[in-house]
Amino acid sequence: MTPFDWSALALFFMCWLGYDPMLKLLARRSGALNEDMLTVRHAWMTAMTRREIRLLDSQLLGHSINSGSFFASSNLLLIAAVGGILFGGESALKSFASVGAEAVPIPLLEAKLALVLACLSRGLLDFIWSIRQMNYTLALIGAAPEINGEAAHAAFGEATAQVLNPALAAFSQGVRGYYFALAAAAWLFGPAWLAAGVISAFALLVWRQSGSPAARAIRTARRLLDANSSL
């Protein structure tokens, strides 16, 4: 590996591992979509406890489970494709290298494919954990008792939200893995492509968390929910 490869790889890991700390800092300063959604989902689960029929809540969550299953299945296919090349022997690697990627030694090509595989594998684990936690949330929705009193509603809604929020946070992490897998795949064309890819992915993710129309709308909704809960 050249010094440029090492520098681009270091930048990749700085962005990949530093995204969560950056998101927490962003949430404290100007707000972030994921942080605002914690409040929105908490309000949802509290409202769920007040409904006599909770079919709507289970259907909404079922759509999220279907989305997680779709992404997990896609991850498996991509992992099988990348793993087939990586572990298919020297002939498979040479055949792959001939399709237009930067001409590099086989060990370096293996390292590049291994980075893509690591991003996809991490995403698959996130999706699996997300689906399991969403199923736990469905059980809580189904088991929600007919309770009286605002304090009891709030307590059960809080307990359910503490399962749902990590579930959908894991889902978000799994989706994020696709962004970084694409950036890692850009390394096949050289270290400059890797650096450009990871900077672009990082910038796009940060913008979607803080400056996108969806982020601004959800931030407004969170303020309304906070104001309503304080009344």
Side-chain angles (χ1 to χ4, degrees):
M1 286 177 60
T2 67
F4 296 108
D5 285 301
W6 284 113
S7 298
L9 188 59
L11 177 63
F12 178 89
F13 281 108
M14 283 176 60
C15 291
W16 191 15
L17 301 177
Y19 179 78
D20 278 331
M22 171 63 74
L23 200 60
K24 291 177 182 178
L25 179 62
L26 191 66
R28 287 198 298 268
R29 287 188 172 182
S30 59
L33 192 152
N34 283 359
E35 190 71 20
D36 294 333
M37 284 302 299
L38 297 178
T39 300
V40 173
R41 288 193 289 265
H42 180 272
W44 173 22
M45 290 297 100
T46 302
M48 176 273 299
T49 63
R50 301 190 181 100
R51 285 192 270 271
E52 293 183 5
I53 299 176
R54 303 184 180 100
L55 181 61
L56 173 63
D57 304 289
S58 59
Q59 286 181 330
L60 290 173
L61 192 54
H63 287 302
S64 296
I65 293 175
N66 289 336
S67 297
S69 300
F70 169 78
F71 280 112
S73 299
S74 301
N75 257 33
L76 278 174
L77 293 174
L78 292 170
I79 288 171
V82 176
I85 299 169
L86 183 58
F87 302 111
E90 189 171 341
S91 59
L93 289 166
K94 287 182 177 178
S95 298
F96 175 76
S98 67
V99 300
E102 182 191 38
V104 295
I106 293 299
L108 181 54
L109 180 58
E110 289 176 333
K112 294 179 178 184
L113 290 172
L115 184 61
V116 176
L117 189 62
C119 293
L120 293 172
S121 299
R122 168 63 190 276
L124 176 63
L125 294 175
D126 286 326
F127 286 127
I128 291 172
W129 182 225
S130 172
I131 293 169
R132 291 190 66 183
Q133 290 182 97
M134 283 191 279
N135 276 286
Y136 301 152
T137 306
L138 274 177
L140 288 171
I141 291 173
E146 296 291 340
I147 51 182
N148 297 316
E150 188 60 31
H153 285 296
F156 196 89
E158 171 69 23
T160 309
Q162 286 180 1
V163 180
L164 179 60
N165 276 325
L168 294 179
F171 180 87
S172 297
Q173 289 172 356
V175 173
R176 191 188 314 155
Y178 280 105
Y179 289 85
F180 285 100
L182 284 172
W187 193 16
L188 294 167
F189 300 93
W193 285 93
L194 174 60
V198 71
I199 290 173
S200 299
F202 187 87
L204 180 60
L205 286 167
V206 170
W207 175 77
R208 287 182 174 177
Q209 283 289 325
S210 60
S212 66
R216 293 197 297 269
I218 291 173
R219 193 168 304 129
T220 300
R222 176 189 176 174
R223 293 191 185 108
L224 292 172
L225 289 170
D226 286 338
N228 184 66
S229 63
S230 64
L231 294 177

